[in-house]
Amino acid sequence: MSLVKSRTREARSVSREAEDIFLASEMVELGARLQVLQAETELSYDRLARLYREIRGSSPPKGMLPFSVDWYMTWLPNIHSSLFYSIYQYLDTHTPVKKTKALIEAYRLYLEQAALGQGPVSADDAVLSFTRAWMLLRFFDSSMVQLSHCVHCHGGFVAYAHDPRQDYVCAICKPPPRAGKTRKAKAATV
Ligand SMILES: [Zn+2]
């Protein structure tokens, strides 16, 4: 390999590393778990753990990531996940922002939207955590979920993959039956 070529490669890897550190720091601030940082950057586990401790002042939480698709289908999480995903999809389709940067940007915009009407929402108390937002994109990539459009409001909502898309009614247009119906159903069986 020529010297010039190896220098260029070296410069590229240094700038890639700098960008990874920058992205990792942004994700830590938004509450990302270590597994997310490992998947999105090429930094080592030790460096990421150190970065995490520096920014958050505590060790990264251990344990598995939340991996259930069902969570995204429950009422409030579904509305928040759908909001996040529509922002992400817009950025990905209509702007040059892609991949990890699109995820970070979309999550920030989601937090802004979630804050409307109830004051600022921090990443730590948002309904949809950064890690769950990241998982959601993975579920879309692996075709475990799909976007279905509501026949009433025409909004796009996160739904199980392969569920029929015709006649789909979203969580906002059709809130869950909740307590009332359950009580009635119980009374009927007594
Ligand atoms: Zn609707």
Side-chain angles (χ1 to χ4, degrees):
M1 200 197 305
S2 78
L3 193 63
V4 177
K5 251 190 193 158
S6 94
R7 283 262 162 81
T8 324
R9 190 165 289 182
E10 203 179 291
R12 213 177 290 141
S13 84
V14 167
S15 79
R16 162 85 215 219
E17 191 179 280
E19 181 168 323
D20 272 355
I21 293 174
F22 177 73
L23 290 174
S25 312
E26 288 200 293
M27 289 188 279
V28 170
E29 274 165 24
L30 291 172
R33 296 276 299 268
L34 218 58
Q35 290 97 320
V36 177
L37 309 176
Q38 280 182 289
E40 295 297 316
T41 70
E42 287 174 6
L43 301 174
S44 71
Y45 178 90
D46 289 342
R47 294 193 70 185
L48 289 169
R50 227 178 302 137
L51 192 69
Y52 189 100
R53 256 178 263 126
E54 255 169 51
I55 295 173
R56 302 227 110 189
S58 61
S59 295
K62 296 206 166 67
M64 307 254 290
L65 292 184
F67 56 82
S68 157
V69 175
D70 298 339
W71 183 85
Y72 299 90
M73 306 306 163
T74 50
W75 194 70
L76 193 59
N78 188 259
I79 294 170
H80 281 252
S81 309
S82 304
L83 170 64
F84 163 78
Y85 190 72
S86 4
I87 299 172
Y88 174 81
Q89 209 184 25
Y90 180 87
L91 291 180
D92 192 52
T93 317
H94 299 287
T95 75
V97 187
K98 304 285 173 215
K99 294 183 176 174
T100 316
K101 285 183 188 156
L103 162 70
I104 294 172
E105 201 47 45
Y107 191 72
R108 286 223 176 92
L109 290 166
Y110 154 72
L111 287 182
E112 276 177 28
Q113 291 295 312
L116 293 180
Q118 50 169 327
V121 171
S122 86
D124 291 332
D125 13 84
V127 171
L128 180 73
S129 70
F130 185 85
T131 299
R132 289 226 198 240
W134 175 81
M135 285 296 287
L136 180 66
L137 299 185
R138 299 227 130 181
F139 288 142
F140 268 102
D141 282 346
S142 54
S143 303
M144 290 172 77
V145 295
Q146 68 187 18
L147 205 65
S148 294
H149 288 269
C150 173
V151 288
H152 293 309
C153 66
H154 307 294
F157 287 81
V158 177
Y160 289 110
H162 316 303
D163 265 7
R165 291 177 200 239
Q166 311 92 307
D167 305 328
Y168 172 79
V169 180
C170 79
I172 296 176
C173 295
K174 190 182 69 181
R178 298 204 181 229
K181 205 170 181 182
T182 319
R183 234 177 283 133
K184 246 183 253 163
K186 262 193 196 145
T189 55
V190 170

